[in-house]
Amino acid sequence: MATSFTKVSGRPTWQQTMLRIKDPEKSIPFYTNLMGMTVIDTLDFPQWGFKLFFLTTLPEGEVYELTPGTQAAHDYMWSIEGTALELTYNYGTEQPSFLGYHPGNQEKDGFGHVAFNTDDVYAACAKLEAEGVTFKKKPDEGRMKGLAFAYDPDEYWVEIVKRGEPNKIPNYFNFSQTMLRIKDPSKSIPFYEALGMVVLRQKNYGDFSNYFLASSPNVDPSVDYSSLSDDEAKGKLSNMFGPVLELTHNHGTENDESFRHYNGNEEGRQGFGHIGFLVDDVYAACDDIRKMGYGFRKVSSYARENESFEL
C-alpha cells in the first residue's frame, strides 16, 4: 500500500542537481559551449577549499546580464522557477594525482545520468563527436535506436533525447532530465509528491519501471496527467522545456530489507551529490518532513543561509 503525505509547506520546487567535477576548465565549457547552458551564479568558499557553479538552460535569445558571484546573481539563483545544474569543484582535484569522481551506473548506484533534449539526436551526436566528445552509446548502437549517452569530462552519462516535435523549442539543447534509482516507488513517489512534484508519466517495462516527475513551474495545471495514454504523456514530456526527475525502480528491490542504493556521498563513490528544492521557509519545511518520518544529514548551513540536507 502506497504511503500518503501532506504536502510540504512553503511552495517547494525542484531547483538543482549537484555533481562534483574534477576540473572546471573542462566541465564548464562542456556544459556551456557544447550543451548550451549558462553560468548564472557562482559561490566561492576559499576558506573551505571549494567553489560552486550554477548552470541552467535559458530560453534561446535571452541575454543573461548578471555577473555570477554577485549579490544580484545570488538573488536570481535563489528565486528561479527552473532547475539548475550545480557543479561542485574542490580545489586541487584538477591535479593529475586526483583519480577522479565516481560517475555512477555501477552495482547499487543510485545516480544514473542527466539528459538534454534536441531536435535531431543523430546530428547532435555528430556535432558533439566532432568536438571530441566520446560516447557510452551512440544513437545507432544497441537495442534502443535514436537515443545516445555521451560522456562529460568526468565521465558522467549525458543522455541525448529526441524532442517530440521539431522546431518547437528553439534551443539546440535543453536540460531535460536527472535520473535516480529508487528502492520502493510506494515510498519514493509520495515523498516527491509531498515536495510539490507531479507524476507526468509512468511505464512498466517488465523488470523495471520508470516514473517521470516535474515541479509546478514545469507542469500544465489544466492537464490531468493520470488520464493520458502513454503516447500522450510521452509526447508532452518530450516537448517540455524544463527538466523532469526520472525515478527508475528495478523490480524486487522493495522486497529486500537489506537493499540500499549508494547515494553518491560515500567514501570512494563520491560523484553525484544531491538534488535540491527551494522553499519559502526551510525550518517550516523541515518540520513538515520530520512529520513524514524522515531525518536530516544537516540542518543549518556551511555555505548558504537556511539550508538543510535530508536523509
Coordinates of all heavy atoms in Angstrom, one line a residue, residues 19-33 39 41-44 49-55 86-95 98 101 152-154 156:
L19 N 26.5 17.8 -9.1 CA 27.5 16.8 -9.5 C 28.9 17.4 -9.1 O 29.1 18.6 -9.3 CB 27.5 16.6 -11.0 CG 26.2 16.0 -11.6 CD1 26.4 15.9 -13.1 CD2 25.9 14.6 -11.0
R20 N 29.8 16.6 -8.6 CA 31.2 17.0 -8.3 C 32.0 16.9 -9.6 O 31.8 16.0 -10.4 CB 31.8 16.2 -7.2 CG 31.1 16.3 -5.9 CD 31.7 15.3 -4.9 NE 31.1 15.4 -3.6 CZ 30.0 14.6 -3.2 NH1 29.5 13.8 -4.1 NH2 29.5 14.8 -2.0
I21 N 32.8 17.9 -9.9 CA 33.6 17.9 -11.1 C 35.1 18.0 -10.7 O 35.5 18.6 -9.7 CB 33.3 19.1 -12.0 CG1 33.4 20.4 -11.3 CG2 31.8 18.9 -12.6 CD1 33.3 21.6 -12.3
K22 N 35.9 17.4 -11.5 CA 37.4 17.4 -11.3 C 38.0 18.8 -11.7 O 38.8 19.3 -11.0 CB 38.0 16.3 -12.1 CG 39.5 16.2 -11.9 CD 40.1 15.0 -12.7 CE 41.6 14.9 -12.5 NZ 42.2 13.7 -13.2
D23 N 37.6 19.3 -12.9 CA 38.3 20.4 -13.4 C 37.3 21.4 -14.1 O 36.8 21.1 -15.2 CB 39.4 20.0 -14.4 CG 40.3 21.1 -14.9 OD1 39.9 22.3 -14.7 OD2 41.2 20.8 -15.7
P24 N 37.0 22.5 -13.5 CA 36.0 23.4 -14.1 C 36.5 24.0 -15.5 O 35.6 24.4 -16.3 CB 35.9 24.6 -13.1 CG 37.1 24.5 -12.2 CD 37.5 23.0 -12.2
E25 N 37.8 24.0 -15.7 CA 38.3 24.5 -17.0 C 37.8 23.5 -18.2 O 37.9 23.9 -19.3 CB 39.8 24.6 -17.0 CG 40.3 25.6 -16.1 CD 39.9 27.0 -16.5 OE1 39.9 27.3 -17.7 OE2 39.5 27.8 -15.6
K26 N 37.5 22.3 -17.8 CA 37.0 21.3 -18.8 C 35.4 21.2 -18.7 O 34.8 21.2 -19.7 CB 37.6 20.0 -18.6 CG 39.1 20.0 -18.8 CD 39.7 18.6 -18.6 CE 41.2 18.6 -18.8 NZ 41.8 17.3 -18.5
S27 N 34.9 21.1 -17.5 CA 33.5 20.9 -17.3 C 32.6 22.1 -17.7 O 31.6 21.9 -18.3 CB 33.2 20.4 -15.9 OG 33.8 19.2 -15.6
I28 N 33.0 23.3 -17.3 CA 32.2 24.4 -17.6 C 32.1 24.6 -19.1 O 31.0 24.8 -19.7 CB 32.7 25.7 -16.9 CG1 32.8 25.5 -15.4 CG2 31.9 26.9 -17.3 CD1 31.4 25.1 -14.8
P29 N 33.1 24.6 -19.9 CA 33.0 24.7 -21.4 C 32.1 23.6 -22.0 O 31.4 23.8 -23.0 CB 34.4 24.7 -21.9 CG 35.3 25.2 -20.8 CD 34.6 24.6 -19.5
F30 N 32.2 22.4 -21.4 CA 31.4 21.3 -22.0 C 29.9 21.7 -21.8 O 29.1 21.5 -22.8 CB 31.7 20.0 -21.2 CG 30.8 18.8 -21.6 CD1 31.1 18.0 -22.7 CD2 29.6 18.6 -20.9 CE1 30.2 17.0 -23.1 CE2 28.7 17.6 -21.2 CZ 29.1 16.8 -22.3
Y31 N 29.5 22.1 -20.7 CA 28.1 22.4 -20.4 C 27.6 23.7 -21.0 O 26.4 23.8 -21.3 CB 27.8 22.3 -19.0 CG 27.7 20.8 -18.5 CD1 28.7 20.3 -17.7 CD2 26.6 20.0 -18.8 CE1 28.7 18.9 -17.3 CE2 26.5 18.7 -18.4 CZ 27.6 18.2 -17.6 OH 27.5 16.9 -17.2
T32 N 28.5 24.7 -21.2 CA 28.1 25.9 -21.8 C 28.3 25.9 -23.3 O 27.3 26.1 -24.0 CB 28.9 27.1 -21.1 OG1 30.3 26.9 -21.3 CG2 28.5 27.3 -19.7
N33 N 29.5 25.7 -23.8 CA 29.8 25.8 -25.2 C 29.1 24.7 -26.0 O 28.7 24.9 -27.1 CB 31.3 25.8 -25.4 CG 32.0 27.0 -24.8 OD1 31.4 28.0 -24.5 ND2 33.3 26.8 -24.7
V39 N 26.1 29.9 -17.1 CA 26.5 30.0 -15.7 C 25.8 31.2 -15.2 O 26.0 32.3 -15.5 CB 28.0 30.2 -15.6 CG1 28.4 30.3 -14.1 CG2 28.8 29.0 -16.1
D41 N 25.3 31.7 -11.7 CA 25.9 32.1 -10.4 C 27.0 31.2 -10.0 O 27.2 30.1 -10.5 CB 24.8 32.1 -9.3 CG 25.1 32.9 -8.1 OD1 26.1 33.7 -8.2 OD2 24.5 32.8 -7.0
T42 N 27.9 31.8 -9.1 CA 29.0 31.0 -8.5 C 29.0 31.4 -7.0 O 28.6 32.5 -6.6 CB 30.3 31.3 -9.2 OG1 30.6 32.7 -9.0 CG2 30.3 31.0 -10.6
L43 N 29.4 30.4 -6.2 CA 29.7 30.7 -4.8 C 31.1 30.1 -4.5 O 31.3 28.9 -4.7 CB 28.6 30.0 -3.9 CG 27.2 30.6 -4.0 CD1 26.3 29.7 -3.3 CD2 27.2 32.0 -3.4
D44 N 32.0 30.9 -4.1 CA 33.4 30.5 -3.8 C 33.7 30.5 -2.3 O 33.4 31.5 -1.6 CB 34.3 31.4 -4.6 CG 35.7 30.9 -4.7 OD1 35.9 29.7 -4.3 OD2 36.6 31.5 -5.3
G49 N 37.9 25.5 0.7 CA 38.5 24.9 -0.4 C 37.6 24.4 -1.5 O 37.9 23.3 -2.1
F50 N 36.5 25.0 -1.8 CA 35.6 24.6 -2.9 C 34.9 25.8 -3.5 O 34.7 26.8 -2.9 CB 34.7 23.5 -2.4 CG 33.5 23.9 -1.5 CD1 32.3 24.3 -2.0 CD2 33.7 24.0 -0.1 CE1 31.3 24.6 -1.2 CE2 32.7 24.3 0.7 CZ 31.4 24.7 0.2
K51 N 34.4 25.5 -4.7 CA 33.6 26.6 -5.4 C 32.5 25.9 -6.1 O 32.6 24.8 -6.7 CB 34.5 27.3 -6.5 CG 33.8 28.4 -7.2 CD 34.8 29.2 -8.1 CE 34.1 30.3 -8.8 NZ 35.1 31.1 -9.6
L52 N 31.3 26.5 -6.1 CA 30.1 26.0 -6.8 C 29.8 26.9 -8.0 O 29.9 28.1 -8.0 CB 28.9 26.1 -5.8 CG 29.1 25.5 -4.4 CD1 27.9 25.7 -3.6 CD2 29.5 24.0 -4.5
F53 N 29.4 26.2 -9.1 CA 29.0 26.8 -10.3 C 27.5 26.4 -10.6 O 27.2 25.2 -10.6 CB 29.8 26.4 -11.5 CG 31.3 26.7 -11.4 CD1 32.1 25.9 -10.7 CD2 31.8 27.8 -12.0 CE1 33.5 26.2 -10.5 CE2 33.2 28.1 -11.9 CZ 34.0 27.3 -11.2
F54 N 26.7 27.3 -10.9 CA 25.2 27.0 -11.1 C 24.9 27.3 -12.6 O 25.1 28.5 -13.0 CB 24.3 27.8 -10.2 CG 24.5 27.4 -8.7 CD1 25.4 28.1 -8.0 CD2 23.8 26.4 -8.2 CE1 25.6 27.8 -6.6 CE2 23.9 26.1 -6.8 CZ 24.8 26.8 -6.1
L55 N 24.5 26.3 -13.3 CA 24.2 26.5 -14.7 C 22.7 26.1 -15.0 O 22.2 25.2 -14.4 CB 25.1 25.6 -15.6 CG 26.6 25.8 -15.5 CD1 27.2 25.1 -14.3 CD2 27.3 25.3 -16.7
E86 N 24.2 22.2 -10.5 CA 25.2 22.7 -9.6 C 26.5 21.8 -9.7 O 26.4 20.6 -9.5 CB 24.7 22.6 -8.1 CG 25.8 23.1 -7.1 CD 25.4 22.9 -5.7 OE1 24.2 22.7 -5.4 OE2 26.3 23.0 -4.8
L87 N 27.5 22.4 -10.2 CA 28.8 21.7 -10.4 C 29.7 22.1 -9.2 O 30.0 23.3 -9.1 CB 29.4 22.0 -11.7 CG 28.6 21.6 -12.9 CD1 29.3 22.0 -14.2 CD2 28.2 20.2 -12.9
T88 N 30.2 21.2 -8.4 CA 31.0 21.5 -7.2 C 32.4 21.1 -7.5 O 32.8 20.0 -7.9 CB 30.5 20.6 -6.0 OG1 29.2 21.1 -5.7 CG2 31.4 20.8 -4.8
Y89 N 33.3 22.1 -7.4 CA 34.7 21.9 -7.6 C 35.5 22.1 -6.3 O 35.4 23.1 -5.6 CB 35.2 23.0 -8.6 CG 36.7 23.2 -8.6 CD1 37.6 22.2 -8.9 CD2 37.3 24.5 -8.3 CE1 39.0 22.4 -8.9 CE2 38.6 24.7 -8.3 CZ 39.5 23.6 -8.6 OH 40.9 23.8 -8.5
N90 N 36.1 21.0 -5.9 CA 37.0 21.0 -4.7 C 38.4 21.3 -5.1 O 39.0 20.7 -6.0 CB 36.9 19.7 -4.0 CG 35.6 19.4 -3.4 OD1 35.2 20.1 -2.5 ND2 34.9 18.4 -3.9
Y91 N 39.0 22.4 -4.6 CA 40.3 22.9 -5.0 C 41.3 21.7 -5.1 O 41.4 20.9 -4.2 CB 40.8 23.9 -4.0 CG 40.1 25.2 -3.9 CD1 39.0 25.5 -4.7 CD2 40.6 26.2 -3.1 CE1 38.3 26.7 -4.6 CE2 39.9 27.4 -3.0 CZ 38.8 27.7 -3.7 OH 38.2 28.9 -3.6
G92 N 42.1 21.7 -6.2 CA 43.2 20.8 -6.3 C 42.8 19.5 -7.1 O 43.7 18.8 -7.4
T93 N 41.5 19.2 -7.3 CA 41.2 18.0 -7.9 C 41.6 17.9 -9.4 O 41.6 16.8 -10.0 CB 39.7 17.7 -7.8 OG1 38.9 18.8 -8.3 CG2 39.3 17.4 -6.4
E94 N 41.9 19.1 -10.0 CA 42.3 19.1 -11.4 C 43.7 18.5 -11.5 O 44.2 18.3 -12.7 CB 42.2 20.5 -12.0 CG 43.3 21.5 -11.5 CD 43.0 22.1 -10.1 OE1 42.1 21.6 -9.4 OE2 43.7 23.1 -9.8
Q95 N 44.5 18.4 -10.4 CA 45.8 17.9 -10.5 C 45.8 16.4 -10.9 O 44.9 15.6 -10.6 CB 46.5 18.0 -9.2 CG 46.6 19.5 -8.7 CD 47.4 20.4 -9.7 OE1 48.4 19.9 -10.3 NE2 46.9 21.6 -9.9
F98 N 44.8 13.4 -8.6 CA 43.4 13.1 -8.2 C 42.9 12.1 -9.3 O 42.9 12.4 -10.5 CB 42.6 14.3 -8.2 CG 41.1 14.1 -7.8 CD1 40.8 13.7 -6.5 CD2 40.1 14.1 -8.8 CE1 39.5 13.4 -6.2 CE2 38.8 13.9 -8.4 CZ 38.5 13.5 -7.1
Y101 N 36.2 11.3 -10.0 CA 35.0 11.0 -9.3 C 34.3 9.8 -9.8 O 34.5 9.3 -10.9 CB 34.0 12.2 -9.3 CG 34.5 13.4 -8.5 CD1 34.9 14.6 -9.1 CD2 34.5 13.3 -7.1 CE1 35.3 15.6 -8.3 CE2 35.0 14.3 -6.3 CZ 35.4 15.5 -6.9 OH 35.8 16.5 -6.1
D152 N 30.5 13.2 -20.2 CA 31.0 14.5 -20.0 C 32.5 14.4 -19.5 O 33.0 13.3 -19.4 CB 30.1 15.3 -19.0 CG 30.5 15.0 -17.5 OD1 31.2 14.1 -17.2 OD2 30.0 15.8 -16.7
P153 N 33.2 15.5 -19.2 CA 34.6 15.4 -18.8 C 34.9 14.5 -17.6 O 36.0 14.0 -17.4 CB 35.0 16.8 -18.6 CG 34.1 17.6 -19.5 CD 32.8 16.9 -19.4
D154 N 33.9 14.3 -16.7 CA 34.1 13.5 -15.6 C 33.5 12.1 -15.8 O 33.4 11.3 -14.8 CB 33.5 14.1 -14.3 CG 34.2 15.3 -13.9 OD1 35.3 15.2 -13.2 OD2 33.8 16.5 -14.3
Y156 N 30.4 11.3 -16.4 CA 29.0 11.2 -16.1 C 28.3 10.9 -17.4 O 28.7 11.5 -18.4 CB 28.5 12.5 -15.4 CG 29.0 12.8 -14.1 CD1 29.8 13.9 -13.9 CD2 28.8 11.9 -13.0 CE1 30.3 14.2 -12.6 CE2 29.3 12.2 -11.7 CZ 30.0 13.4 -11.5 OH 30.5 13.7 -10.3

